[in-house]
Amino acid sequence: MFMKTITCNACGHINKEGTMICGSCGKPLDSISGEDKNTLLNMRYDGTAVRSKTRNRSIIDKIWNFFSSIKIGVTLIVLALISSAVGTILPQEMYIPQNVDAFTHYRDEYGLFGQIYYQLGFHNLYSSWWYMILIALIGISIFIVSIDRGVPLYKALTNQNPKRHTGFLKRQKLYSESETYDEDEKEQLLFNLKKHRYNIFEKDGHLLAEKGRFARWGPYVNHLGLIIFLLGTLFRFVPFMYVDDFVWVREGETVVIPSTSQEYYVENKKFIIENYGEDEAEVFAEAIQNQEGPIAKHFETQAVIYKDQSTNIVGEEPDLNQIKEGSIIVNKPLKFDGFSLYQSSYQTNEFKSMSFKLHETSDENEDAIAEFKIDLDNPENNFTFDNGYRIELDQFYPDYYLDEGQPKSQSNYPRNPGFVFFVYPPNEEEPEVSFAAIGKNIDPTNDNDYKIGLTDFEVRNASGLSLKKDYTLPILGLGAFIFMIGVIQGMYWQHRRIWFHPTSKGIIVAGHTNKNWFGFKNEVDKIFTGTSLQAIKDLEEDSKEDRSQS
Amino acid sequence: MGDLVSLSSTFLYVAFFIYLIATVLFAATIRDKKSKKNNDFASKLAVGTTIVGFVSQLLYFITRWIAAGHAPVSNLFEFVTFFGMMLVFAFLLLYFIYRVNLLGLFTLPIALLLIAYASVFPREVTPLVPSLKSHWLYIHVTTVSLGEAILAISFIAGLIYLIRQVDQTTSSKSTKWLEIVIYTLFATIGFVLVSSVYAGMGYSSTFEFPFKGDTRSVEYEIPPLIGPNEGVMLDQERMSPLVEAPSFLQGVDAAKKLNTLIWSMLLGFVLYLIVRLILRKRIAASIQPFLKRANPELIDEICYRAVAIGFPVFTLGGLIFAAIWAQEAWDRYWGWDPKEVWALITFFFYAVFLHLRLSRGWHGEKSAWLAVIGFAIIMFNLIVVNLVIAGLHSYA
Ligand code: HEM
């Protein structure tokens, strides 16, 4: 392909089109680009040709240039910032109560605004297609810009010529020109430079003192970390990499852990909950008193994990082998074979069984005619008694509530059980219907001869465990780690260079740093001590003073 | 143990007064037009005093930690106090790089204001709920606040830059916004004043009001300018509210918080007006002459440098450590909780700041304004998200 080039008229080096500063001797090539001779040089990427600033012909060039523009990059980040903020105006859908219709919730709670918010999809903003595309565009932009700038920067920094054209030096921000310069002074300078840990490159008596070059790679390293991180989040969509499920286990129960292909089982031996109490350390006394409810102190499930060793033939009983036993505590998940079980929820005093007795409605002593017990895990339907009475369990509502007069169950967990019983007295065909629940005993017809009363119950705790397997975590961790290395590298170190250019009359010194000029200037002052070099001047400030004086 | 808590509070009071003295000493270095040698001594005295104050606050922190058995960063009082301490630390860090006395003159009053602000919230030692019992809590919270404190120094440098550089001969958008920024400091003083004065008087009045089909009660610690929607006051002898809060305000305490906000803003406004009437000038215009000797480019560099130093620390604490802790405690490293989202927004914002700095046009005044906005975002996350947004749903 035909490439335009620029030949340097000072050293003859052939530079790529778009080069601002000759790659070999550093002579500014802007007599061609027509920049003002007296302004300071733009030292970004040392004046090498950056693809996006040079080529704009094909459609690929245009896309490339779009993504490598800092303006576009910043705009994308600002858009992500604003949309993220919008998502916090109202709670996201995952934070509203689970048992209500989302649309109704937003409308009833937040009125018209809530309705519009819902209809625009802002209730699920962070998983919306456009938010994800926005983040993806930022990722693409980071990738392209890093190649666009990184390659030329690499070339410029690895081939530095210590001998620079005076036109280059005179247009650096830090500059000094001195009449005298001899071997003794050079010795002193080299000594001072080494003391400040500069690397020295020399060519024909010209010196380049440089330090912190690696800091220039900071942005590229941190951008790489960001890209790895973003790729890592994509892996979550690979089924093998990521599992997220939830299971309730009651005390004494062993249940299969979902999402493990029926392979693992968990047993809840005991669930423990502790609150901060009266006997707590004295320092907390005031806080505990001021709090209205109890303050939770500790949740723990004592669990056993089993693996099913059976050969997986349909109908075969699972053959459970204990593989792990331990406590699941908040902040301390139980780990096994790549999975983690977290203490995530609990339900105290869930009913295990309930005992009832049957008595005559008119009997003030409520003497039992019959007694029976219902196991709520596995309720029996029929109870026949020696004295001829029979009771049938018609309906069982584990978690009952009244929906417009009709009993219904909110969940399958026995938190508030309700029962409809059919009572058959001896030799009767027609049953009496009776409804019983905690503290309730409803007689639908109001002329029942018999009544069913609760006599006793057993409770137990249930523990809600969430199951996680996340093989994307190492990738995310790696990305975050590389990102941190990169920002620290780029932010806590600076790339400083000083050029020493002997002339027939003495010496010219010029300095450049990519950031933090004050520290650099102080350092140059220290490097000049013990020599007769003219103190280094900041040309930018001088030109400002000139302007303000004129 | 109780003794240790009171010893700890004493250290905090002492730190407060030492910071006050250090502020005066820094003021002296600015006005001092005497020989350089003299000024050197004054600077050393000022910064030395600041260090003594910092050590005293550190002792507060350590003794309270021993007393509570956990790092005292677990409620708003403790966290804001700690943030004030980190602000002083961040100042010292940048002071030893650039040795600019002005920075101390502006940072210490803000640290004082933060400690005063913190002391308005309940100060008792609270026990930890299970999800907070993790070493990652301390690691996360301390690094976030250190990061935010360093970023706050960039706000302070930006503020100095703006007061120094914004043309005060005519009224412009910049002068107006600058006054608004200064006014918010007055509003914070207003908040501290109104809360502590009425707390000192033992003011309390209770309202009952309907809330989602229930009747709830709320206790006001300052007189109600704004009462709860359809609220009924239970204490007859107290002043009754001027207006009721609109019904769209969510949350049990929403009306109470709005009331406090209005009080603070009004009182802040009165204070601002008084000062302005005495000065007969914009406040920034009255400060400007004292800053004439400051080098704007140096201040601009400090403003940038604080972001350069603070950004990695903030990212580490606010995003990475936060994610590790969230993974341990709630088995998800990221949950799009408002607090998390605002940390992400802060991260995005300072990333934008750094990228804009890459082009020359964004140095100086523009980046000073950005530093002010960045601090506003941090404060928003610290205060508003805690008190308002996060209150809408329970955490953990
Ligand atoms: C949230 C995402 C991003 C973060 C956290 C980030 C972070 C950074 C940081 C810390 C620097 C160093 C700045 C300095 O040294 O002052 C940097 C430099 C840079 N960033 Fe980004 N960046 C992000 C996205 C982008 C995007 C989308 C672009 C696309 C245009 C971009 C382009 C650049 C460029 C061109 C540099 C300068 C490189 C150099 O100095 O050689 N960045 N970035």
Side-chain angles (χ1 to χ4, degrees):
Chain A
M1 201 177 85
F2 173 74
M3 271 280 238
K4 278 207 226 163
T5 55
I6 312 168
T7 311
C8 174
N9 59 13
C11 69
H13 182 76
I14 296 172
N15 295 287
K16 265 212 235 166
E17 175 192 13
T19 307
M20 314 288 281
I21 298 172
C22 173
S24 172
C25 70
K27 181 169 195 287
L29 301 173
D30 48 8
S31 49
I32 298 155
S33 61
E35 224 185 277
D36 181 356
K37 284 248 169 356
N38 297 316
T39 53
L40 296 179
L41 280 180
N42 184 350
M43 289 288 286
R44 299 246 87 218
Y45 316 108
D46 277 32
T48 45
V50 170
R51 189 191 198 275
S52 64
K53 294 272 157 70
T54 333
R55 304 208 340 218
N56 194 7
R57 294 175 201 124
S58 65
I59 178 88
I60 295 187
D61 289 344
K62 294 215 160 74
I63 294 173
W64 183 274
N65 295 356
F66 177 83
F67 283 114
S68 40
S69 147
I70 294 203
K71 257 195 211 120
I72 298 291
V74 164
T75 311
L76 289 173
I77 302 176
V78 169
L79 287 177
L81 186 160
I82 294 171
S83 10
S84 306
V86 168
T88 62
I89 299 176
L90 295 183
Q92 291 287 297
E93 191 181 11
M94 58 198 154
Y95 289 116
I96 67 171
Q98 296 297 312
N99 53 359
V100 296
D101 175 53
F103 173 72
T104 336
H105 178 82
Y106 282 97
R107 191 194 54 203
D108 294 353
E109 291 279 311
Y110 311 105
L112 184 63
F113 179 75
Q115 201 171 333
I116 296 171
Y117 196 84
Y118 176 87
Q119 272 156 353
L120 289 174
F122 291 169
H123 64 301
N124 259 328
L125 190 142
Y126 305 109
S127 50
S128 66
W129 58 270
W130 58 271
Y131 189 80
M132 294 208 244
I133 287 183
L134 201 53
I135 302 294
L137 287 178
I138 293 178
I140 295 171
S141 177
I142 294 175
F143 183 71
I144 292 184
V145 83
S146 301
I147 297 173
D148 187 58
R149 323 270 163 134
V151 173
L153 182 65
Y154 178 79
K155 284 188 188 151
L157 293 185
T158 42
N159 304 313
Q160 292 190 72
N161 186 351
K163 188 171 166 183
R164 290 290 166 127
H165 194 268
T166 48
F168 173 87
L169 302 173
K170 284 191 171 139
R171 289 174 62 188
Q172 294 298 328
K173 187 169 148 82
L174 292 192
Y175 184 77
S176 140
E177 220 178 300
S178 312
E179 303 278 300
T180 54
Y181 179 63
D182 57 30
E183 275 304 311
D184 285 350
E185 277 188 341
K186 187 173 170 186
E187 283 303 304
Q188 180 69 42
L189 271 178
L190 285 175
F191 177 77
N192 290 352
L193 284 168
K194 289 208 176 101
K195 203 169 83 188
H196 286 92
R197 295 166 202 270
Y198 276 83
N199 299 316
I200 317 258
F201 305 90
E202 186 163 1
K203 185 177 173 189
D204 306 339
H206 294 248
L207 296 179
L208 162 61
E210 183 187 31
K211 78 171 176 189
R213 185 196 286 180
F214 79 103
R216 292 295 286 273
W217 307 119
Y220 301 90
V221 174
N222 90 46
H223 286 168
L224 175 72
L226 287 173
I227 292 169
I228 294 177
F229 186 91
L230 289 177
L231 288 178
T233 59
L234 288 184
F235 276 108
R236 185 177 264 220
F237 299 105
V238 181
F240 156 77
M241 302 286 283
Y242 183 74
V243 173
D244 178 9
D245 217 318
F246 187 90
V247 61
W248 280 106
V249 211
R250 297 169 191 148
E251 280 174 324
E253 242 182 8
T254 302
V255 298
V256 63
I257 306 178
S259 298
T260 61
S261 332
Q262 311 283 319
E263 217 185 316
Y264 295 97
Y265 287 71
V266 59
E267 177 185 356
N268 178 352
K269 292 178 84 170
K270 193 168 170 53
F271 176 77
I272 301 166
I273 174 168
E274 283 170 29
N275 289 326
Y276 286 99
E278 307 276 294
D279 52 347
E280 220 57 60
E282 201 188 315
V283 274
F284 300 132
E286 198 184 341
I288 291 171
Q289 255 175 26
N290 290 349
Q291 189 78 15
E292 278 166 22
I295 306 178
K297 181 178 179 183
H298 183 75
F299 306 123
E300 171 179 346
T301 304
Q302 293 174 352
V304 184
I305 309 289
Y306 301 95
K307 189 168 181 178
D308 181 6
Q309 311 282 34
S310 67
T311 42
N312 259 334
I313 301 166
V314 183
E316 192 189 355
E317 280 293 301
D319 170 18
L320 297 186
N321 263 315
Q322 175 170 340
I323 55 169
K324 186 130 188 182
E325 175 162 13
S327 291
I328 307 176
I329 305 173
V330 181
N331 275 320
K332 284 188 196 108
L334 187 68
K335 298 187 177 164
F336 62 95
D337 295 357
F339 292 98
S340 307
L341 275 175
Y342 289 84
Q343 182 64 52
S344 156
S345 192
Y346 65 91
Q347 176 71 42
T348 48
N349 302 335
E350 206 175 86
F351 292 96
K352 182 171 188 287
S353 70
M354 290 185 142
S355 306
F356 297 93
K357 69 176 175 187
L358 182 72
H359 63 86
E360 284 180 30
T361 314
S362 53
D363 180 2
E364 283 194 5
N365 293 333
E366 302 189 353
D367 287 334
I369 302 170
E371 284 181 300
F372 59 101
K373 180 170 169 183
I374 297 185
D375 174 6
L376 298 177
D377 280 345
N378 222 337
E380 230 176 295
N381 283 338
N382 266 301
F383 300 89
T384 341
F385 303 98
D386 294 344
N387 53 8
Y389 286 85
R390 189 164 71 83
I391 293 177
E392 197 179 306
L393 174 58
D394 177 57
Q395 292 288 342
F396 169 44
Y397 305 101
D399 194 1
Y400 122 94
Y401 70 108
L402 276 183
D403 184 18
E404 293 168 5
Q406 288 298 313
K408 286 195 174 157
S409 192
Q410 266 178 358
S411 72
N412 288 328
Y413 305 110
R415 289 169 189 162
N416 185 23
F419 308 86
V420 175
F421 293 111
F422 289 169
V423 180
Y424 294 89
N427 310 320
E428 282 280 348
E429 287 300 306
E430 277 300 299
E432 273 186 15
V433 181
S434 190
F435 181 83
I438 303 161
K440 279 208 178 65
N441 198 317
I442 300 167
D443 165 6
T445 53
N446 252 335
D447 57 24
N448 278 355
D449 293 335
Y450 300 97
K451 207 168 175 176
I452 292 179
L454 182 66
T455 53
D456 200 7
F457 56 83
E458 286 173 288
V459 290
R460 62 184 166 184
N461 296 332
S463 178
L465 303 175
S466 80
L467 173 81
K468 277 287 156 83
K469 178 170 88 172
D470 196 345
Y471 286 147
T472 68
L473 288 181
I475 306 177
L476 301 181
L478 180 73
F481 183 73
I482 294 179
F483 174 82
M484 280 315 299
I485 300 275
V487 266
I488 288 173
Q489 174 182 350
M491 293 302 184
Y492 295 175
W493 277 271
Q494 303 96 41
H495 181 215
R496 295 175 169 178
R497 280 176 292 176
I498 315 171
W499 294 275
F500 297 88
H501 184 106
T503 60
S504 51
K505 278 181 271 155
I507 188 165
I508 294 175
V509 183
H512 182 265
T513 176
N514 65 336
K515 53 183 57 165
N516 306 332
W517 289 87
F518 278 86
F520 183 44
K521 188 161 178 288
N522 286 340
E523 193 175 61
V524 175
D525 287 341
K526 283 192 195 127
I527 287 168
F528 280 9
T529 50
T531 71
S532 61
L533 295 185
Q534 292 289 321
I536 201 121
K537 276 195 299 197
D538 185 336
L539 294 189
E540 194 167 39
E541 279 189 6
D542 288 0
S543 68
K544 258 188 209 149
E545 268 158 33
D546 288 349
R547 254 179 280 142
S548 58
Q549 274 159 17
S550 61
Chain B
M1 274 301 185
D3 290 347
L4 206 52
V5 176
S6 66
L7 177 69
S8 158
S9 319
T10 312
F11 278 127
L12 188 60
Y13 283 121
V14 170
F16 188 87
F17 282 106
I18 296 179
Y19 290 154
L20 212 57
I21 295 167
T23 311
V24 177
L25 291 174
F26 273 117
T29 65
I30 306 298
R31 308 204 68 169
D32 193 3
K33 294 210 173 64
K34 282 177 236 153
S35 67
K36 187 158 168 11
K37 205 171 161 194
N38 224 328
N39 209 347
D40 261 6
F41 175 72
S43 313
K44 282 207 179 103
L45 189 65
V47 76
T49 311
T50 311
I51 293 174
V52 173
F54 177 76
V55 169
S56 176
Q57 197 175 357
L58 202 60
L59 288 172
Y60 142 80
F61 185 76
I62 294 168
T63 44
R64 192 172 169 102
W65 187 330
I66 297 170
H70 61 81
V73 284
S74 62
N75 60 31
L76 208 55
F77 160 72
E78 292 174 344
F79 182 76
V80 176
T81 311
F82 184 73
F83 182 61
M85 180 164 103
M86 287 295 102
L87 189 66
V88 176
F89 179 75
F91 155 69
L92 289 172
L93 194 76
L94 280 131
Y95 184 85
F96 285 108
I97 302 178
Y98 290 106
R99 305 206 177 253
V100 173
N101 291 324
L102 258 185
L103 207 55
L105 182 57
F106 278 76
T107 309
L108 289 177
I110 291 183
L112 285 168
L113 197 54
L114 278 169
I115 299 173
Y117 174 82
S119 65
V120 169
F121 295 95
R123 266 175 287 176
E124 67 259 4
V125 179
T126 37
L128 293 182
V129 297
S131 63
L132 296 184
K133 282 186 191 162
S134 161
H135 287 302
W136 287 107
L137 165 71
Y138 316 143
I139 300 172
H140 157 65
V141 176
T142 49
T143 18
V144 176
S145 49
L146 177 62
E148 288 182 339
I150 302 173
L151 292 171
I153 298 289
S154 103
F155 154 73
I156 293 168
L159 191 62
I160 297 175
Y161 187 92
L162 291 171
I163 297 177
R164 165 81 169 69
Q165 292 297 91
V166 167
D167 179 9
Q168 293 286 355
T169 53
T170 53
S171 167
S172 65
K173 242 185 32 232
S174 303
T175 57
K176 290 207 179 78
W177 276 107
L178 197 49
E179 291 305 290
I180 291 176
V181 172
I182 293 172
Y183 159 73
T184 56
L185 299 177
F186 280 90
T188 315
I189 299 177
F191 171 78
V192 174
L193 279 182
V194 71
S195 312
S196 46
V197 166
Y198 280 109
M201 288 163 52
Y203 183 93
S204 145
S205 76
T206 310
F207 285 87
E208 271 184 356
F209 62 100
F211 182 80
K212 292 189 180 165
D214 260 359
T215 302
R216 295 293 184 92
S217 74
V218 57
E219 190 190 337
Y220 275 52
E221 280 103 22
I222 55 179
L225 297 174
I226 299 207
N229 191 259
E230 295 173 34
V232 180
M233 186 149 66
L234 301 183
D235 324 67
Q236 295 308 325
E237 73 278 17
R238 293 295 188 198
M239 158 188 149
S240 52
L242 300 181
V243 277
E244 275 187 2
S247 58
F248 64 79
L249 272 187
Q250 299 288 321
V252 187
D253 282 340
K256 179 180 167 182
K257 285 169 184 167
L258 184 67
N259 182 54
T260 312
L261 181 71
I262 304 253
W263 262 103
S264 318
M265 294 191 26
L266 285 179
L267 198 59
F269 193 66
V270 172
L271 292 174
Y272 175 84
L273 272 188
I274 294 174
V275 175
R276 186 126 181 210
L277 282 176
I278 295 172
L279 297 172
R280 304 191 153 271
K281 259 199 258 184
R282 273 179 229 116
I283 294 185
S286 331
I287 307 175
Q288 195 172 47
F290 298 104
L291 308 186
K292 270 291 161 254
R293 287 194 303 162
N295 176 352
E297 273 167 49
L298 177 57
I299 305 291
D300 179 55
E301 187 170 315
I302 297 176
C303 175
Y304 165 76
R305 190 76 185 270
V307 176
I309 300 176
F311 181 72
V313 180
F314 175 79
T315 311
L316 189 66
L319 298 177
I320 298 178
F321 289 162
I324 296 176
W325 178 33
Q327 181 70 30
E328 299 250 317
W330 298 289
D331 67 52
R332 88 277 183 295
Y333 57 87
W334 191 258
W336 298 108
D337 175 271
K339 194 105 191 157
E340 291 171 348
V341 176
W342 277 91
L344 181 69
I345 290 172
T346 313
F347 172 78
F348 280 154
F349 182 83
Y350 283 101
V352 166
F353 179 104
L354 289 170
H355 288 95
L356 289 177
R357 282 289 295 205
L358 294 172
S359 50
R360 289 235 164 133
W362 283 85
H363 288 215
E365 199 170 321
K366 277 189 192 163
S367 67
W369 281 117
L370 286 179
V372 171
I373 297 171
F375 186 65
I377 293 178
I378 290 177
M379 283 295 127
F380 185 84
N381 199 5
L382 204 66
I383 293 160
V384 183
V385 173
N386 255 351
L387 293 182
V388 184
I389 298 184
L392 291 178
H393 65 263
S394 65
Y395 204 71

